Amino acid sequence: MILSPPFLPARTSQSEAAWLDAAMAQPTSRLSNTNAAEGSFPLSLRLGWHNGIHIQAPQAAGAYLPVRAVADGTVVFVHPPTAPNNDVNHALNYNPFNAGTPSPAWTSDGFVVIAHKGEIGAAGAVATEFVYFSACMHLGSLANHARTRQPLKAGDVVFRKEALGTPGQIYGHDGQVHFEVCCDEANLEKLTTRKRDWADPLAPQPPTANGRTDAVFGSLYIYLPAGTPTRASQPTSHLRSAVHAGGAASAATDFFLPDTLRAAQWVQITYEHGSAILASCDRLGAPIGQPRNDSRYDYITVATMRPGASQSFEYDLSAVANDRHGSLDAATQALSSPSGWYELLRFGRNLGPDALPANAAHWRKVVTPDGGLWVDLNAPGTFKFSDADFLAITGWNCFDDDPTPTDQRCDSLRMKTLIRDPDRTNEGRMERAQLARRLGEPEVRNKLRRTICKFPSEWDQKDVEKRYGWLETEDFKSTDDDATGAQKWERFVKHAKAVTFLELPEAFLKADWRFHPREFVGHMRKCGWLSCSEIEQIYKSHDLRNNNPARFDAIRKYQISLNLMTRKYLLNTSKRLPHILGQGAEESSFLTAMQEDSMTGSAVNGEVHGKVGGKDPQSLRNELDFGHWWGFSPNERVDWYGSKKFNSKGLLIASSYNWRMGNLGDPDAQKFRGRGFKQLTGRLNYVQYWVYRGWLTRSSFDNHWWTDPQYVARNVRGMTKTPGVVDNPEVVGTSIYNCMDAGGWYMTFQRPDVLRAMDGDMDYLAASISELAQETTASKAVTLAINGGEIAWDRRLKNTRAAKEIILDQ
């Protein structure tokens, strides 16, 4: 899913977190009884539940930025704003900060609710989807629909970043809106895999199973039980020792084997922009030491130090995977693959289809209470997760224990316990007044960001008096006489009904599980999984806008495998993904050509010339089965592989792929022509990819397939084949998974500098001359790494920019 904040201020060199904070900044004004920002989540005035947060709109050129859709969706409710006035008796001119004496303090009532369907992963061929709502209240004006040019209405489809309106006023404060995100219980479970469970932060239960595999994004989290094997120096073997199997220690008996952890802990691994950052915390989430950056010199023995290597371990994952696979003996290599090792390093576990030894160890240098140690992150009893699991150890928790769930007053014991004064000698720390004042404390605000809370919508006009009745006695009559308090209460009820609605959609009202909007947006922006609709938008400037069925069918066919590839190889970041999609569009003709045309020509002496299995190559473009090797059928000219020199397009030439990239002449130019999303080409690349997948090993050699002694001696000494796979190079083009995986492998393992080139680009749209030059440099470097030259670079850059326009935030 692609997600953005409701305001899109300009972005240059800001970090992701800093930019989101600027885009969704809360008002500087504070509530007098809490010292919290006005409109805080999930608690605000008088410790009452509050759906979302108030946002102070950013400005550009002296004007407030427009409010925009945070994701693609369908408008389900619209209420146009009332024109402001200075009538102190108007219900929208209510001033809660001076309720005793009416004064004009306008609150805008423009309201837009959007239903979104997000896609965060897939289980097999089934996408993992969830439905949620975003709501924006207090709009000062509504925008016209971006395409119909008519006022927004229920049923309109809107795309991310399209304008919804302008920010209005809240209690007389200009340029403010209320923004919220919510879902129902069924979709909460789809998103978080949590069944509304609350985890006691003071007594967390250790995990008993790995986290989800359908959705994996953001940081990795690995639970290490007491007794997990450790080493003071880098282990020489990457297979787990039976002596140090792990999990045998007991804190109760104080029995620990030598070289094991004495206490359970967690390790967080974050890969970004070339770095691999490891942070540790104890079972309660308290940090252990300082985070450390993995260095390639922790894992790979090299003769020459490379500048910046301590910050670039992510770029070296492929080298480490090859090294660990290559360290195994011949028999074990037959049960292993570099791909399996890469996934172990990347995800902490092997999520893919390729082999990994059952006793593979994942040694990483980790901060522990005893200092930096090498720890086996794959030992028995360790469990692996990602940000997609919404772990309690990272602060996520569900709150639904309010005994009065039909009103807006927070009576949740768990919520009160979360925010109370930690000083146990404070006998009044659970009193409502003290709890309310705690809302302004930074440590409390930080805790509240990852609370997921169940309570009714404040916008439902039904039973307003009942839901807010506690305010009548607790606030309005607590210090006033009955008559004065009654007047204040009546003004409040009048105002509350003016900013609530009777006709809200039932599905929206049932979506009573609520997220901190800033935290939700920031968290889900790590996902990087594209739906079919989002890919279609990226490629819309081409045949998709003409409703070309082949384009639509190709996107639906390859969408999941494309996402699996970008997720596996860390290519789904805001800097990298536009280049991947832009380059792939040129290489695969927007996903419709996963194999180069075999050859072109016509019948010669009654023999089929330029066809595969009697079929024209063009007719095979959209078929799953690309046929077989040339020359297997009687009517195919075998002398195509003989003395005549043709290129892979069937033309007589002097320069071709015939003797390049490990090819052994004309047969190989046809056999190993370009296939897959990246158009993998040449015998050498195919061989190396098969070795990577574990289809070939170096234990022996099979002369049935490899026939050139010099080539064998030079490149594939001691390899053997996996029957049924290496006999058919077309498996790279016919397998949906292989089509994509081969492209990711090539860029990561064969051309690792392509990652640096993409990271050298910006994650915002180029505007200035210097920024355009930086973008051009990055695009040409990526093109060179993928294509070996600058063939069709102008189209590749155009496609990359088209992807940026959808993926990025400007």
Side-chain angles (χ1 to χ4, degrees):
M1 61 183 292
I2 312 178
L3 195 67
S4 59
F7 292 103
L8 300 177
R11 180 175 181 178
T12 52
S13 59
Q14 289 171 294
S15 68
E16 169 80 352
W19 181 76
L20 286 174
D21 287 342
M24 302 182 71
Q26 289 194 248
T28 56
S29 51
R30 294 289 185 266
L31 296 173
S32 60
N33 70 331
T34 66
N35 199 35
E38 291 181 14
S40 293
F41 176 89
L43 304 173
S44 191
L45 183 66
R46 298 295 181 188
L47 215 67
W49 291 117
H50 187 242
N51 289 19
I53 61 173
H54 291 180
I55 300 175
Q56 184 67 54
Q59 297 188 50
Y64 291 115
L65 296 181
V67 180
R68 300 183 182 274
V70 299
D72 299 349
T74 302
V75 176
V76 296
F77 182 78
V78 174
H79 183 270
T82 303
N85 62 65
N86 290 320
D87 181 3
V88 295
N89 294 313
H90 195 288
L92 293 176
N93 259 328
Y94 176 75
N95 188 345
F97 310 112
N98 187 21
T101 303
S103 58
W106 188 261
T107 294
S108 305
D109 59 343
F111 194 31
V112 175
V113 181
I114 302 175
H116 309 275
K117 181 180 289 186
E119 191 170 318
I120 60 174
V126 180
T128 300
E129 297 178 333
F130 76 103
V131 175
Y132 65 102
F133 294 88
S134 69
C136 197
M137 177 59 169
H138 307 312
L139 293 169
S141 67
L142 294 182
N144 286 336
H145 189 267
R147 287 168 297 286
T148 67
R149 304 301 180 186
Q150 298 300 311
L152 279 176
K153 65 182 186 306
D156 282 344
V157 173
V158 293
F159 293 117
R160 186 177 71 99
K161 301 190 289 187
E162 289 183 347
L164 303 178
T166 58
Q169 293 177 291
I170 303 178
Y171 302 133
H173 300 154
D174 289 330
Q176 293 185 5
V177 295
H178 164 104
F179 179 67
E180 65 185 71
V181 175
C182 57
C183 68
D184 63 20
E185 187 166 314
N187 284 286
L188 174 70
E189 184 173 343
K190 291 178 182 178
L191 174 62
T192 67
T193 67
R194 301 176 66 144
K195 298 182 178 179
R196 57 188 281 182
D197 60 318
W198 176 79
D200 187 346
L202 299 179
Q205 297 299 308
T208 57
N210 288 325
R212 68 195 304 177
T213 58
D214 59 332
V216 178
F217 59 79
S219 294
L220 309 175
Y221 302 89
I222 302 178
Y223 173 75
L224 307 175
T228 300
T230 65
R231 297 287 188 276
S233 58
Q234 182 176 8
T236 57
S237 173
H238 296 291
L239 298 179
R240 190 163 49 251
S241 168
V243 176
H244 290 99
S250 169
T253 62
D254 197 34
F255 170 74
F256 295 92
L257 294 172
D259 296 327
T260 59
L261 289 178
R262 295 184 61 85
Q265 70 171 77
W266 290 80
V267 173
Q268 175 184 353
I269 304 176
T270 304
Y271 292 111
E272 60 180 15
H273 306 313
S275 294
I277 303 170
L278 278 73
S280 298
C281 67
D282 64 19
R283 67 184 190 89
L284 298 179
I288 299 173
Q290 296 296 317
R292 64 173 302 275
N293 282 304
D294 262 353
S295 166
R296 74 190 314 248
Y297 305 114
D298 292 325
Y299 301 92
I300 307 171
T301 302
V302 293
T304 305
M305 294 289 286
R306 188 176 67 194
S310 62
Q311 303 291 325
S312 63
F313 179 68
E314 185 224 319
Y315 297 140
D316 298 307
L317 283 179
S318 58
V320 178
N322 282 330
D323 183 69
R324 296 195 177 187
H325 171 77
S327 70
L328 307 177
D329 59 46
T332 309
Q333 280 196 21
L335 305 174
S336 176
S337 67
S339 175
W341 284 99
Y342 180 85
E343 297 227 3
L344 184 65
L345 293 164
R346 166 68 181 92
F347 299 114
R349 49 188 161 153
N350 186 5
L351 300 179
D354 300 323
L356 182 71
N359 59 338
H362 181 190
W363 292 106
R364 298 291 281 269
K365 199 172 184 180
V366 170
V367 177
T368 76
D370 296 322
L373 294 174
W374 288 83
V375 181
D376 181 6
L377 306 187
N378 197 39
T382 60
F383 297 105
K384 295 84 178 180
F385 306 88
S386 79
D387 275 322
D389 292 291
F390 290 81
L391 290 171
I393 193 67
T394 65
W396 290 104
N397 225 336
C398 296
F399 294 81
D400 68 341
D401 64 320
D402 193 326
T404 57
T406 58
D407 68 26
Q408 302 297 142
R409 186 173 79 167
C410 172
D411 291 309
S412 163
L413 178 60
R414 292 169 178 169
M415 180 60 68
K416 293 177 179 178
T417 302
L418 179 74
I419 65 178
R420 70 184 176 184
D421 185 350
D423 182 3
R424 295 187 178 185
T425 65
N426 180 357
E427 295 180 354
R429 62 179 181 155
M430 291 296 284
E431 294 176 358
R432 293 184 62 83
Q434 283 205 30
L435 290 168
R437 286 194 294 272
R438 291 278 296 164
L439 296 180
E441 298 294 329
E443 63 185 81
V444 173
R445 295 203 304 271
N446 187 57
K447 289 181 181 179
L448 293 176
R449 286 172 68 106
R450 292 196 165 185
T451 60
I452 308 172
C453 305
K454 182 178 182 180
F455 54 88
S457 173
E458 62 185 281
W459 310 121
D460 187 4
Q461 195 177 105
K462 296 188 296 292
D463 302 326
V464 163
E465 292 96 333
K466 180 180 178 181
R467 287 189 291 109
Y468 288 99
W470 54 280
L471 281 175
E472 183 178 10
T473 55
E474 186 173 313
D475 191 10
F476 300 117
K477 294 183 180 179
S478 60
T479 58
D480 298 317
D481 59 70
D482 288 346
T484 302
Q487 290 177 350
K488 291 181 179 180
W489 170 246
E490 289 171 2
R491 283 195 292 270
F492 169 79
V493 171
K494 183 180 178 182
H495 172 72
K497 289 186 175 181
V499 292
T500 54
F501 311 94
L502 288 172
E503 62 274 22
L504 291 172
E506 189 66 21
F508 176 59
L509 293 178
K510 289 182 177 179
D512 51 6
W513 282 95
R514 311 185 189 281
F515 297 82
H516 189 295
R518 162 64 179 86
E519 195 67 19
F520 179 87
V521 170
H523 192 76
M524 297 310 299
R525 278 168 66 89
K526 302 174 185 176
C527 179
W529 186 279
L530 298 178
S531 67
C532 286
S533 174
E534 288 163 338
I535 299 174
E536 288 169 3
Q537 291 178 58
I538 291 169
Y539 287 163
K540 70 180 179 180
S541 62
H542 302 279
D543 287 352
L544 279 177
R545 66 182 178 184
N546 299 320
N547 295 317
N548 185 321
R551 297 281 193 259
F552 287 110
D553 292 345
I555 288 172
R556 285 163 175 75
K557 177 178 178 180
Y558 292 106
Q559 176 245 345
I560 289 178
S561 289
L562 171 62
N563 280 295
L564 290 175
M565 179 267 286
T566 60
R567 183 179 82 178
K568 175 178 177 178
Y569 296 104
L570 288 155
L571 300 173
N572 57 0
T573 68
S574 58
K575 287 177 177 284
R576 298 175 183 180
L577 191 54
H579 286 279
I580 297 304
L581 294 171
Q583 295 282 342
E586 178 64 26
E587 295 284 336
S588 68
S589 188
F590 302 95
L591 301 175
T592 62
M594 291 299 176
Q595 176 171 279
E596 279 185 337
D597 291 346
S598 54
M599 301 168 212
T600 58
S602 57
V604 178
N605 298 326
E607 297 173 339
V608 178
H609 189 175
K611 296 187 177 182
V612 179
K615 297 181 180 180
D616 188 284
Q618 187 67 26
S619 70
L620 294 168
R621 275 178 173 253
N622 299 313
E623 292 186 19
L624 183 62
D625 184 0
F626 287 97
H628 54 265
W629 289 3
W630 187 266
F632 275 19
S633 294
N635 68 336
E636 292 171 348
R637 294 184 57 178
V638 178
D639 65 359
W640 194 272
Y641 296 130
S643 58
K644 296 182 180 179
K645 302 300 179 185
F646 295 90
N647 67 8
S648 60
K649 295 292 185 182
L651 304 176
L652 285 166
I653 54 92
S655 174
S656 72
Y657 287 133
N658 293 350
W659 300 95
R660 292 171 54 198
M661 295 177 288
N663 287 343
L664 305 179
D666 297 310
D668 285 355
Q670 166 69 8
K671 294 177 188 177
F672 305 108
R673 64 186 183 272
R675 294 185 178 92
F677 188 55
K678 208 290 305 168
Q679 294 292 296
L680 191 68
T681 306
R683 180 192 280 249
L684 180 59
N685 283 325
Y686 275 79
V687 171
Q688 291 173 329
Y689 180 62
W690 286 330
V691 171
Y692 164 74
R693 294 292 302 275
W695 301 341
L696 290 175
T697 71
R698 296 183 181 273
S699 60
S700 62
F701 177 73
D702 189 333
N703 285 311
H704 170 73
W705 194 60
W706 301 102
T707 57
D708 181 75
Q710 290 185 348
Y711 182 82
V712 172
R714 184 171 67 250
N715 292 303
V716 291
R717 184 184 303 277
M719 292 186 178
T720 187
K721 67 175 184 177
T722 299
V725 177
V726 296
D727 278 344
N728 181 15
E730 291 165 352
V731 71
V732 173
T734 57
S735 163
I736 295 174
Y737 178 87
N738 296 345
C739 277
M740 293 298 162
D741 187 76
W745 163 80
Y746 182 82
M747 288 179 280
T748 305
F749 278 72
Q750 300 297 87
R751 297 290 185 268
D753 283 345
V754 76
L755 301 180
R756 290 186 176 84
M758 290 185 286
D759 288 344
D761 202 354
M762 299 152 297
D763 52 4
Y764 55 91
L765 296 177
S768 67
I769 294 176
S770 62
E771 289 170 341
L772 290 170
Q774 181 179 348
E775 179 185 58
T776 297
T777 299
S779 180
K780 286 188 174 181
V782 174
T783 300
L784 178 64
I786 290 176
N787 180 260
E790 293 185 3
I791 297 175
W793 168 75
D794 54 340
R795 292 199 302 268
R796 296 170 192 267
L797 178 59
K798 178 183 177 182
N799 296 336
T800 300
R801 286 177 175 167
K804 285 183 176 182
E805 288 175 3
I806 300 300
I807 294 171
L808 301 185
D809 296 298
Q810 283 77 12

